[in-house]
Amino acid sequence: MESLGGAEFAPEMTYLNTSSCGLLPRRTVAAVRLLADELAAGRPGGAGEWSAVTAARQSFARLSGVDEGRVAVGGSVSVHVGLIASSLHPGAEVLFPEGEYASVITPFLVRGDLKLRYAPLEHLADAVGPQTSLVAFSSVQSSDGRIADLSAVRAAALAHGARTLVDASQSAGWLPLDAAAWDLTVTGGFKYLLCPRGVSFLTMTEEAQATLVPIHAGTFAAEDLWGTTYGPIEELARSARRFDEPPAFLSYHGAKESLALLEETGIDAVHAHDTALARRFRAGLTELGHRPVPGDSAIVAVPGLGHRVPGLADAGVVVSERAGNLRAAFHLYNTAAEVDRVLDVLSG
């Protein structure tokens, strides 16, 4: 099985660590370098082009199945989650899976006046009750690649009138995302979306937008984008753009190219490619006597094998250790030969 990335990628090692940080396509590097060179030379147009931010927003909207008017841009998941956490009433209950990623939990925790409750991922839907205001969880778990039972959680939330917040940082880019099915989604762009760090997306229904206050609104949140540079903004954007953070233009010039590449390739094709490699790896691990976390995720975790990560790095294989697990993450630039390479090193 060959790479789907073609000439866009040229890793110098066996890179299976997209769950930590995705590789940048050549076109993305070129776009960032061009803007950086222009800025160093004295670019007359300022820090970057708003059109690049718009193009990235539109690409993500298409990739996630929502209208661009429901997408806000930013620089990190935790800032988006902090915006959402600030909107909840004191005493509201937020339900998380046990072991959820810290950026999804901590903005709610620091409020100090919310009720936080946890349940095993496999029982998350059962734990939703009439007292639950929000269910916040990752569609794919960071530490071990398990995929949440999305349909069950959605049905339980609907039945009890709870809102949903899905972190798609470990899934968007390889697992088809239907953002329209959720009240809110947050996604870091620097993993499977192949964007430079400093790119993130928040999607929300119109109903959810009505409950949020754009607490970090600045110049870019105005309906008339360049019409209110001084003094208070008289009219905030009527779309989700009013929740934008000021964009990091270097990152968004790159994001425009990365997301275009994913659109050209197709998420269904990437999903088939990534999960096929992961199945090959799981089968090989089983033959070696290891017990990987079961499932059909592009992320493969092997409990108790995290201590092998430094040795693999010495052999030119980049994976990660999370919660004691060896974690390998497969994406469009990986190949079957790389799977076999890792298995060969682990068998030694």
Side-chain angles (χ1 to χ4, degrees):
M1 183 178 296
E2 299 300 319
S3 165
L4 291 182
E8 287 286 353
F9 301 95
E12 297 178 356
M13 55 196 69
T14 300
Y15 189 84
L16 304 176
N17 200 26
T18 302
S19 279
S20 296
C21 185
L23 297 181
L24 294 180
R26 291 184 186 275
R27 66 175 75 178
T28 300
V29 174
V32 173
R33 181 177 291 131
L34 175 61
L35 179 58
D37 287 344
E38 291 178 350
L39 292 172
R43 187 176 191 270
E49 297 298 330
W50 181 253
S51 60
V53 180
T54 299
R57 189 196 312 270
Q58 291 171 342
S59 274
F60 183 79
R62 290 189 292 267
L63 289 167
S64 59
V66 295
D67 183 87
E68 66 175 290
R70 287 179 52 176
V71 180
V73 302
S76 70
V77 161
S78 58
V79 173
H80 293 314
V81 177
L83 171 71
I84 296 164
S86 72
S87 72
L88 297 182
H89 297 297
E93 179 185 280
V94 187
L95 175 66
F96 308 93
E98 294 174 352
E100 180 55 66
Y101 197 70
S103 293
V104 178
I105 299 173
T106 309
F108 296 97
L109 176 67
V110 298
R111 273 278 305 261
D113 60 355
L114 301 175
K115 180 181 179 181
L116 276 55
R117 193 160 60 89
Y118 304 88
L121 179 66
E122 60 273 21
H123 300 303
L124 187 64
D126 297 332
V128 181
Q131 75 282 11
T132 306
S133 297
L134 181 71
V135 188
F137 66 104
S138 296
S139 50
V140 174
Q141 294 296 295
S142 172
S143 64
D144 55 23
R146 288 179 298 157
I147 302 174
D149 189 340
L150 300 174
S151 59
V153 174
R154 183 166 57 246
L158 285 171
H160 292 286
R163 288 195 168 173
T164 49
L165 165 60
V166 174
D167 181 356
S169 298
Q170 293 289 357
S171 62
W174 72 266
L175 184 68
L177 171 62
D178 179 15
W182 308 97
D183 295 292
L184 302 143
T185 76
V186 292
T187 305
F190 67 96
K191 299 178 188 290
Y192 294 89
L193 292 178
L194 309 174
C195 299
R197 197 172 185 111
V199 172
S200 62
F201 301 97
L202 165 65
T203 74
M204 61 200 94
T205 63
E206 291 184 1
E207 291 78 10
Q209 289 181 46
T211 69
L212 301 181
V213 177
I215 55 176
H216 49 246
T219 305
F220 294 100
E223 176 63 23
D224 181 1
L225 194 56
W226 309 115
T228 312
T229 305
Y230 303 102
I233 294 174
E234 295 182 0
E235 182 183 12
L236 292 173
R238 292 186 286 272
S239 68
R241 187 166 58 75
R242 68 184 178 275
F243 301 102
D244 280 5
E245 295 177 62
F249 280 109
L250 280 167
S251 296
Y252 274 89
H253 273 237
K256 171 187 173 182
E257 303 299 331
S258 294
L259 297 173
L261 173 61
L262 286 171
E263 286 198 86
E264 293 165 16
T265 307
I267 298 302
D268 288 341
V270 176
H271 177 264
H273 177 86
D274 292 6
T275 54
L277 293 176
R279 285 193 295 271
R280 185 185 186 100
F281 188 48
R282 286 191 185 88
L285 287 166
T286 302
E287 290 181 6
L288 292 176
H290 302 297
R291 300 182 65 182
V293 173
D296 198 24
S297 175
I299 304 168
V300 180
V302 193
L305 212 60
H307 66 281
R308 297 292 302 272
V309 172
L312 286 164
D314 291 341
V317 177
V318 183
V319 291
S320 55
E321 184 275 329
R322 292 293 186 273
N325 302 322
L326 183 153
R327 186 185 68 180
F330 298 92
H331 206 18
L332 76 167
Y333 35 66
N334 294 127
T335 67
E338 290 180 315
V339 175
D340 297 341
R341 165 70 175 147
V342 183
L343 293 169
D344 182 62
V345 175
L346 286 173
S347 66

